[in-house]
Amino acid sequence: MSRKRILSGMRPSGKLHIGHLFGALNNWVKLQDEYDCFYMVADWHALTTDYAETGSIALNSREMVIDWLTVGIDPKKSVIFRQSDVVEHAELFLLLSMITPLGWLFRCPTYKEQLQEVTSKDLQTFGFLGYPVLQAADIMLYQATVVPVGEDQLPHLELTREICRRFNNLYGEIFPEPQGLLTPAARVPGIDARKMSKSYNNAIALDEEPAEIKKKVQQMFTDPLKLRAKDPGHPDGCVVYAFHVLYNPGASVRKEECAQGAIGCVACKAQVVEFVEAGIAPLREKRRVVSRQTGMIDDILNDGKIRARAVAEQTMQTVRGAIKLSHE
Ligand code: TRP
């Protein structure tokens, strides 16, 4: 019996942090046992915003693969590949661009938001507008039926489904409609309580050093109403408590202790330092080992390219046939 196929991807935007771990990667690791997984380094997607400074994309791509291997993405179970290694993404993207109405793209909430938010780059480009079309091509190329994504990506997935239906209406039933699989994501706040993100400078890296962990936990925002250790606290909005939930199996006990004023923030933070360190230490060690094996990383990416292209090429043969540009 063949298993359902998954495709998911991430843009290589630098070292990953524990927001990625709890928000996506832990889930990716689990899915490997149930699905045929294709995990893609979306380096062409990185170009849609970073076209003017491409210098770090290659390195970031490798670093991201190292992070994936560190957390347990297994090249024996899953296909790990770089988008730009599979040129069929570009071909399908081009064909899909012919049938995608501009209105769908201009209406896309992520497009509108990013145009407003990102002021340091000129995003008035065709490529940036077409971001979701490229993403649709990624998914459709592997005829993936399941796409694990975070909530922020749901509009893109909906667009993929629309593009898919339109293609099938025009050229025949070729593509299955993919379903989004919402990651049961733990919310990971950054040390300043905003969403953890590299660009906010509030993240804890997957392999953060012990001294940095300590420093960052000490900077974490706590309940502003809990001034003295014995004041009752409000764990629900507290970053330190959120980290207890992620790392401390006894988090519910802590919640009560905090609410009753039975523990102060200083002691509570000191424990978080220990829990986070215990969680990160094995990753730090593993990452060190993996990152030294440069030949192995090359081999994994090469193998991924071959396996991904085999599927992609098959899809494209069907697609080319359906579009009928040639006569065979
Ligand atoms: N857009 C996704 C992100 O920013 C990355 C991505 C590219 C992706 N292609 C994909 C995710 C295909 C899922 C499926 O995180």
Side-chain angles (χ1 to χ4, degrees):
M1 204 187 71
S2 78
R3 302 197 291 181
K4 284 190 182 169
R5 197 176 284 150
I6 273 188
L7 179 120
S8 199
M10 280 184 195
R11 274 176 297 181
S13 54
K15 262 191 160 181
L16 300 186
H17 51 66
I18 60 173
H20 296 110
L21 182 65
F22 291 103
L25 291 175
N26 279 341
N27 196 39
W28 283 20
V29 170
K30 267 197 245 131
L31 293 168
Q32 297 182 109
D33 295 319
E34 225 184 299
Y35 297 89
D36 280 333
C37 298
F38 286 69
Y39 292 133
M40 179 188 78
V41 177
D43 55 352
W44 273 339
H45 274 100
L47 275 187
T48 61
T49 50
D50 297 348
Y51 58 84
E53 4 169 357
T54 61
S56 52
I57 297 178
L59 186 68
N60 286 345
S61 297
R62 275 186 89 83
E63 291 290 315
M64 191 162 78
V65 171
I66 292 170
D67 281 329
W68 289 359
L69 298 172
T70 298
V71 302
I73 304 293
D74 181 350
K76 287 197 204 73
K77 296 180 185 166
S78 302
V79 180
I80 300 171
F81 71 101
R82 218 167 14 206
Q83 186 179 32
S84 64
D85 278 336
V86 183
V87 291
E88 286 82 356
H89 287 257
E91 184 181 357
L92 187 56
F93 166 66
L94 173 119
L95 295 173
L96 298 180
S97 78
M98 303 297 167
I99 66 169
T100 305
L102 280 173
W104 293 1
L105 299 176
F106 283 124
R107 232 183 286 131
C108 187
T110 51
Y111 177 70
K112 292 193 282 196
E113 262 166 42
Q114 290 235 47
L115 267 192
Q116 279 193 341
E117 271 173 30
V118 182
T119 48
S120 57
K121 301 168 193 166
D122 181 3
L123 296 183
Q124 305 280 355
T125 60
F126 174 61
F128 185 68
L129 178 67
Y131 185 107
V133 185
L134 183 56
Q135 185 161 349
D138 299 337
I139 296 165
M140 292 166 67
L141 202 47
Y142 301 93
Q143 311 202 26
T145 51
V146 180
V147 184
V149 286
E151 219 164 342
D152 61 317
Q153 293 292 313
L154 284 179
H156 290 163
L157 203 71
E158 199 43 50
L159 253 170
T160 297
R161 291 155 60 83
E162 277 171 314
I163 293 173
C164 195
R165 283 197 285 272
R166 187 159 174 127
F167 186 100
N168 286 348
N169 282 336
L170 288 165
Y171 307 115
E173 287 290 321
I174 290 177
F175 291 108
E177 259 182 58
Q179 303 292 325
L181 183 67
L182 255 194
T183 312
R187 201 186 87 86
V188 183
I191 56 179
D192 60 357
R194 291 187 289 175
K195 185 181 165 163
M196 185 175 285
S197 158
K198 196 169 165 245
S199 55
Y200 292 156
N201 217 354
N202 65 0
I204 295 179
L206 272 187
D207 64 340
E208 198 75 78
E209 290 297 331
E212 283 295 305
I213 294 177
K214 194 163 172 198
K215 202 166 96 195
K216 290 183 176 178
V217 172
Q218 273 159 1
Q219 290 167 356
M220 279 179 187
F221 287 22
T222 51
D223 176 2
L225 298 173
K226 187 168 163 63
L227 296 174
R228 282 167 296 253
K230 294 209 162 70
D231 289 344
H234 304 81
D236 278 333
C238 173
V239 177
V240 180
Y241 176 66
F243 275 75
H244 274 286
V245 172
L246 295 173
Y247 283 103
N248 172 3
S252 56
V253 178
R254 169 50 37 86
K255 187 172 190 178
E256 279 175 33
E257 290 167 341
C258 172
Q260 289 162 5
I263 186 165
C265 297
V266 175
C268 185
K269 279 185 170 179
Q271 284 180 343
V272 159
V273 171
E274 280 175 29
F275 278 115
V276 174
E277 167 59 17
I280 285 186
L283 296 179
R284 196 190 300 126
E285 190 44 42
K286 175 105 186 274
R287 197 182 195 287
R288 210 170 278 149
V289 175
V290 173
S291 63
R292 279 197 223 108
Q293 296 171 283
T294 51
M296 179 190 73
I297 297 160
D298 290 336
D299 290 347
I300 289 170
L301 283 171
N302 254 325
D303 179 61
K305 167 181 169 169
I306 292 166
R307 288 157 75 193
R309 283 202 73 179
V311 177
E313 194 41 45
Q314 236 178 17
T315 302
M316 285 317 297
Q317 279 177 17
T318 313
V319 167
R320 290 177 203 128
I323 295 196
K324 297 195 178 75
L325 290 189
S326 66
H327 279 296
E328 313 126 49

mmCIF file of all heavy atoms in Angstrom, residues 108 110-111 131-132 135-136 139 152-161:
data_model
loop_
_atom_site.group_PDB
_atom_site.id
_atom_site.type_symbol
_atom_site.label_atom_id
_atom_site.label_comp_id
_atom_site.label_asym_id
_atom_site.label_seq_id
_atom_site.Cartn_x
_atom_site.Cartn_y
_atom_site.Cartn_z
ATOM 1 N N CYS A 108 -4.277 38.230 -1.782
ATOM 2 C CA CYS A 108 -3.680 37.344 -0.790
ATOM 3 C C CYS A 108 -3.220 38.146 0.442
ATOM 4 O O CYS A 108 -2.444 39.091 0.335
ATOM 5 C CB CYS A 108 -2.499 36.634 -1.427
ATOM 6 S SG CYS A 108 -1.802 35.374 -0.378
ATOM 7 N N THR A 110 -1.170 37.629 2.882
ATOM 8 C CA THR A 110 0.269 37.700 3.188
ATOM 9 C C THR A 110 0.959 38.704 2.264
ATOM 10 O O THR A 110 1.905 39.372 2.661
ATOM 11 C CB THR A 110 0.952 36.333 3.021
ATOM 12 O OG1 THR A 110 0.615 35.808 1.744
ATOM 13 C CG2 THR A 110 0.527 35.355 4.089
ATOM 14 N N TYR A 111 0.470 38.795 1.041
ATOM 15 C CA TYR A 111 1.057 39.741 0.097
ATOM 16 C C TYR A 111 0.847 41.174 0.589
ATOM 17 O O TYR A 111 1.782 41.964 0.704
ATOM 18 C CB TYR A 111 0.432 39.554 -1.290
ATOM 19 C CG TYR A 111 0.925 40.546 -2.322
ATOM 20 C CD1 TYR A 111 2.220 40.474 -2.805
ATOM 21 C CD2 TYR A 111 0.095 41.563 -2.797
ATOM 22 C CE1 TYR A 111 2.689 41.381 -3.745
ATOM 23 C CE2 TYR A 111 0.549 42.475 -3.735
ATOM 24 C CZ TYR A 111 1.841 42.385 -4.212
ATOM 25 O OH TYR A 111 2.301 43.290 -5.132
ATOM 26 N N TYR A 131 4.767 34.713 -5.472
ATOM 27 C CA TYR A 131 5.225 33.791 -4.427
ATOM 28 C C TYR A 131 4.294 32.582 -4.238
ATOM 29 O O TYR A 131 4.734 31.432 -4.254
ATOM 30 C CB TYR A 131 5.374 34.582 -3.117
ATOM 31 C CG TYR A 131 5.958 33.830 -1.945
ATOM 32 C CD1 TYR A 131 7.256 34.084 -1.498
ATOM 33 C CD2 TYR A 131 5.218 32.879 -1.247
ATOM 34 C CE1 TYR A 131 7.794 33.408 -0.411
ATOM 35 C CE2 TYR A 131 5.749 32.195 -0.165
ATOM 36 C CZ TYR A 131 7.035 32.468 0.252
ATOM 37 O OH TYR A 131 7.553 31.783 1.320
ATOM 38 N N PRO A 132 2.981 32.816 -4.089
ATOM 39 C CA PRO A 132 2.105 31.653 -3.857
ATOM 40 C C PRO A 132 1.980 30.746 -5.085
ATOM 41 O O PRO A 132 1.626 29.576 -4.934
ATOM 42 C CB PRO A 132 0.741 32.278 -3.527
ATOM 43 C CG PRO A 132 0.969 33.731 -3.356
ATOM 44 C CD PRO A 132 2.246 34.099 -4.015
ATOM 45 N N GLN A 135 4.780 28.454 -4.779
ATOM 46 C CA GLN A 135 4.479 27.493 -3.713
ATOM 47 C C GLN A 135 3.484 26.430 -4.203
ATOM 48 O O GLN A 135 3.611 25.254 -3.878
ATOM 49 C CB GLN A 135 3.928 28.228 -2.482
ATOM 50 C CG GLN A 135 3.702 27.314 -1.296
ATOM 51 C CD GLN A 135 3.601 28.063 0.026
ATOM 52 O OE1 GLN A 135 3.896 29.259 0.117
ATOM 53 N NE2 GLN A 135 3.185 27.373 1.062
ATOM 54 N N ALA A 136 2.529 26.852 -5.011
ATOM 55 C CA ALA A 136 1.587 25.879 -5.585
ATOM 56 C C ALA A 136 2.348 24.883 -6.460
ATOM 57 O O ALA A 136 2.095 23.664 -6.414
ATOM 58 C CB ALA A 136 0.516 26.604 -6.407
ATOM 59 N N ILE A 139 4.092 22.184 -4.425
ATOM 60 C CA ILE A 139 3.209 21.157 -3.869
ATOM 61 C C ILE A 139 2.696 20.239 -4.971
ATOM 62 O O ILE A 139 2.719 19.015 -4.867
ATOM 63 C CB ILE A 139 2.027 21.834 -3.129
ATOM 64 C CG1 ILE A 139 2.564 22.635 -1.933
ATOM 65 C CG2 ILE A 139 0.990 20.811 -2.700
ATOM 66 C CD1 ILE A 139 1.568 23.620 -1.340
ATOM 67 N N ASP A 152 -0.108 30.752 9.397
ATOM 68 C CA ASP A 152 0.203 31.876 8.503
ATOM 69 C C ASP A 152 0.235 31.455 7.042
ATOM 70 O O ASP A 152 0.120 32.299 6.155
ATOM 71 C CB ASP A 152 1.545 32.505 8.901
ATOM 72 C CG ASP A 152 2.697 31.516 8.780
ATOM 73 O OD1 ASP A 152 2.531 30.344 9.195
ATOM 74 O OD2 ASP A 152 3.749 31.903 8.254
ATOM 75 N N GLN A 153 0.390 30.156 6.788
ATOM 76 C CA GLN A 153 0.504 29.692 5.406
ATOM 77 C C GLN A 153 -0.824 29.214 4.815
ATOM 78 O O GLN A 153 -0.884 28.807 3.652
ATOM 79 C CB GLN A 153 1.524 28.551 5.321
ATOM 80 C CG GLN A 153 2.955 28.974 5.617
ATOM 81 C CD GLN A 153 3.497 29.891 4.536
ATOM 82 O OE1 GLN A 153 3.351 29.617 3.347
ATOM 83 N NE2 GLN A 153 4.093 30.998 4.943
ATOM 84 N N LEU A 154 -1.887 29.248 5.613
ATOM 85 C CA LEU A 154 -3.154 28.719 5.112
ATOM 86 C C LEU A 154 -3.685 29.449 3.872
ATOM 87 O O LEU A 154 -4.198 28.808 2.958
ATOM 88 C CB LEU A 154 -4.214 28.700 6.225
ATOM 89 C CG LEU A 154 -4.031 27.556 7.235
ATOM 90 C CD1 LEU A 154 -5.102 27.619 8.312
ATOM 91 C CD2 LEU A 154 -4.047 26.190 6.554
ATOM 92 N N PRO A 155 -3.537 30.782 3.813
ATOM 93 C CA PRO A 155 -3.994 31.446 2.591
ATOM 94 C C PRO A 155 -3.254 30.941 1.338
ATOM 95 O O PRO A 155 -3.850 30.811 0.264
ATOM 96 C CB PRO A 155 -3.667 32.928 2.828
ATOM 97 C CG PRO A 155 -3.475 33.068 4.290
ATOM 98 C CD PRO A 155 -3.059 31.738 4.825
ATOM 99 N N HIS A 156 -1.970 30.638 1.504
ATOM 100 C CA HIS A 156 -1.215 30.112 0.359
ATOM 101 C C HIS A 156 -1.734 28.741 -0.062
ATOM 102 O O HIS A 156 -1.805 28.411 -1.241
ATOM 103 C CB HIS A 156 0.279 30.004 0.697
ATOM 104 C CG HIS A 156 0.953 31.328 0.821
ATOM 105 N ND1 HIS A 156 2.166 31.491 1.441
ATOM 106 C CD2 HIS A 156 0.581 32.551 0.408
ATOM 107 C CE1 HIS A 156 2.507 32.764 1.404
ATOM 108 N NE2 HIS A 156 1.547 33.425 0.789
ATOM 109 N N LEU A 157 -2.098 27.965 0.935
ATOM 110 C CA LEU A 157 -2.581 26.632 0.615
ATOM 111 C C LEU A 157 -3.936 26.703 -0.080
ATOM 112 O O LEU A 157 -4.222 25.949 -1.011
ATOM 113 C CB LEU A 157 -2.694 25.811 1.894
ATOM 114 C CG LEU A 157 -2.628 24.346 1.543
ATOM 115 C CD1 LEU A 157 -1.225 23.989 1.104
ATOM 116 C CD2 LEU A 157 -3.052 23.513 2.699
ATOM 117 N N GLU A 158 -4.755 27.650 0.349
ATOM 118 C CA GLU A 158 -6.058 27.821 -0.282
ATOM 119 C C GLU A 158 -5.862 28.223 -1.746
ATOM 120 O O GLU A 158 -6.556 27.728 -2.641
ATOM 121 C CB GLU A 158 -6.856 28.886 0.488
ATOM 122 C CG GLU A 158 -8.342 28.846 0.255
ATOM 123 C CD GLU A 158 -8.940 27.447 0.251
ATOM 124 O OE1 GLU A 158 -8.672 26.668 1.182
ATOM 125 O OE2 GLU A 158 -9.684 27.128 -0.709
ATOM 126 N N LEU A 159 -4.898 29.090 -1.981
ATOM 127 C CA LEU A 159 -4.590 29.480 -3.362
ATOM 128 C C LEU A 159 -4.114 28.288 -4.181
ATOM 129 O O LEU A 159 -4.487 28.131 -5.345
ATOM 130 C CB LEU A 159 -3.489 30.541 -3.354
ATOM 131 C CG LEU A 159 -3.952 31.944 -3.677
ATOM 132 C CD1 LEU A 159 -2.852 32.943 -3.395
ATOM 133 C CD2 LEU A 159 -4.345 32.020 -5.146
ATOM 134 N N THR A 160 -3.298 27.463 -3.572
ATOM 135 C CA THR A 160 -2.833 26.258 -4.269
ATOM 136 C C THR A 160 -4.026 25.412 -4.700
ATOM 137 O O THR A 160 -4.088 24.920 -5.828
ATOM 138 C CB THR A 160 -1.919 25.408 -3.355
ATOM 139 O OG1 THR A 160 -0.769 26.158 -3.028
ATOM 140 C CG2 THR A 160 -1.496 24.123 -4.042
ATOM 141 N N ARG A 161 -4.980 25.277 -3.795
ATOM 142 C CA ARG A 161 -6.149 24.456 -4.122
ATOM 143 C C ARG A 161 -6.949 25.072 -5.270
ATOM 144 O O ARG A 161 -7.450 24.370 -6.144
ATOM 145 C CB ARG A 161 -7.036 24.290 -2.875
ATOM 146 C CG ARG A 161 -6.364 23.420 -1.801
ATOM 147 C CD ARG A 161 -6.892 23.726 -0.410
ATOM 148 N NE ARG A 161 -8.313 23.495 -0.315
ATOM 149 C CZ ARG A 161 -8.843 22.298 -0.098
ATOM 150 N NH1 ARG A 161 -8.073 21.261 0.069
ATOM 151 N NH2 ARG A 161 -10.149 22.156 -0.042
#
